[in-house]
Amino acid sequence: MTLIPSHPSPSSPSAALPFQTWTWRGFPICYQQQGEAGPAVVLVHGFGASCGHWRKNIPDLATGCRVYAIDLIGFGYSAKPTPGEAIAYTFETWGEQLADFCREIVGGPAFFVGNSIGCIAIMQAAVDHPELAQGIVAINCSLRLLHDRKRSLKPWHQRIGPPIAQKILSVKWIAQFFFNRLATAKTVRSILLQAYRRADAVTDELVEIILGPSRDAGAVDVFVAFTRYSQGPLPEDLLPILPCPALLLWGSEDPWEPLTLGKEFAKIPTVDQFIPLPGLGHCPQDEAPEVVNPIVLEWILKKQGESNLLE
């Protein structure tokens, strides 16, 4: 078990904003913070990413908010304990982590902003701890299309592939071999170029933000644990029971989470606004921060103002 992962060096991406450490259940958790006034905002990354993925968003949001970007346990430069021994890598676990972070570091309720699987983590935190959630901003929410419940509705020949792949990856040497081939600058860049529609946003800095934490001991075990995790909540389970309003942003050219499916969420009463982002991919906040930041900041300050009027 790795209790203290390697920490980013001063030359690492986002090093201009200091990395801080919070101890959660005995494990070091990495986060960044900027902004001294206004509502609290907690930024939560997607699969394989980290707080560095918000480097283009934190300064703008911090002009009107107290902004925190956190590495979920198992990702980024947070600890990567062995799955199943001390930590179960589930959305319930990450929801508890975020709730405790709000209590111990933020000091109270917050607006949660997530990308991809981070959206489900923040929804879980809000549902389980309604007193801590002022609002949800979900950016290209993971639809969890390989979830057991969704797979069960497909023809048999489309159902068998994922379980076979999960079984194969449970063999440690195979998982290590596959991960080693995946965790290279060339492969990471190729995957990012699929996810992003603006190729110039896929920089060496971004590749290193994704690749750096994969060198930590324990990274491969967390990767396998999550790829085998096809249970737990779906966004359509959590969105209708949110205790707070939600803003959904969706890059229209996302190759993994189709806009046509995401638009169905606009019908859910807790969704305050659903805004398609034309020409953008799976990570609009990084691909086009000049588009995303003003939308997010304006919505958060508006909701905070409405909340103040009701008090």
Side-chain angles (χ1 to χ4, degrees), residues 58-211:
I58 295 172
D60 284 355
L61 297 179
T63 60
C65 305
R66 295 176 291 121
V67 183
Y68 303 80
I70 186 172
D71 287 350
L72 296 174
I73 192 165
F75 294 104
Y77 290 98
S78 285
K80 299 171 180 64
T82 303
E85 289 188 4
I87 289 290
Y89 290 101
T90 66
F91 290 109
E92 289 81 3
T93 298
W94 291 316
E96 290 301 314
Q97 178 191 348
L98 294 173
D100 287 341
F101 183 74
C102 283
R103 294 188 187 102
E104 297 178 23
I105 300 299
V106 176
F111 288 88
F112 292 103
V113 181
N115 173 230
S116 192
I117 68 159
C119 299
I120 302 179
I122 63 177
M123 291 178 196
Q124 188 71 61
V127 167
D128 290 345
H129 304 276
E131 74 282 2
L132 295 174
Q134 293 180 284
I136 293 290
V137 179
I139 303 173
N140 285 68
C141 180
S142 170
L143 297 170
R144 305 202 68 200
L145 296 175
L146 297 179
H147 192 284
D148 286 347
R149 274 188 276 154
K150 292 190 175 182
R151 215 170 54 236
S152 69
L153 302 176
K154 295 181 179 180
W156 71 269
H157 60 280
Q158 294 180 13
R159 295 199 303 263
I160 60 174
I164 292 173
Q166 290 172 336
K167 189 71 174 177
I168 291 172
L169 284 175
S170 68
V171 180
K172 195 169 184 65
W173 73 266
I174 294 177
Q176 186 69 62
F177 177 84
F178 178 76
F179 188 79
N180 289 345
R181 297 299 179 274
L182 188 64
T184 67
K186 181 179 179 181
T187 303
V188 168
R189 187 180 298 276
S190 176
I191 293 170
L192 288 168
L193 286 170
Q194 293 176 29
Y196 284 53
R197 284 299 171 262
R198 295 184 180 179
D200 59 348
V202 181
T203 62
D204 291 344
E205 178 190 46
L206 176 60
V207 170
E208 180 58 23
I209 285 171
I210 304 298
L211 195 57

Side-chain angles (χ1 to χ4, degrees), residues 204-242:
D204 291 344
E205 178 190 46
L206 176 60
V207 170
E208 180 58 23
I209 285 171
I210 304 298
L211 195 57
S214 72
R215 303 184 185 106
D216 284 343
V220 63
D221 292 333
V222 176
F223 169 78
V224 171
F226 190 77
T227 55
R228 299 187 68 196
Y229 178 44
S230 50
Q231 301 82 38
L234 292 166
E236 52 265 42
D237 298 332
L238 299 173
L239 269 171
I241 58 174
L242 284 179

Side-chain angles (χ1 to χ4, degrees), residues 239-240 248 260-271 273-274:
L239 269 171
L248 270 58
T260 51
L261 298 180
K263 280 182 175 178
E264 292 299 308
F265 294 156
K267 303 172 185 176
I268 297 174
T270 56
V271 176
Q273 284 183 270
F274 184 99

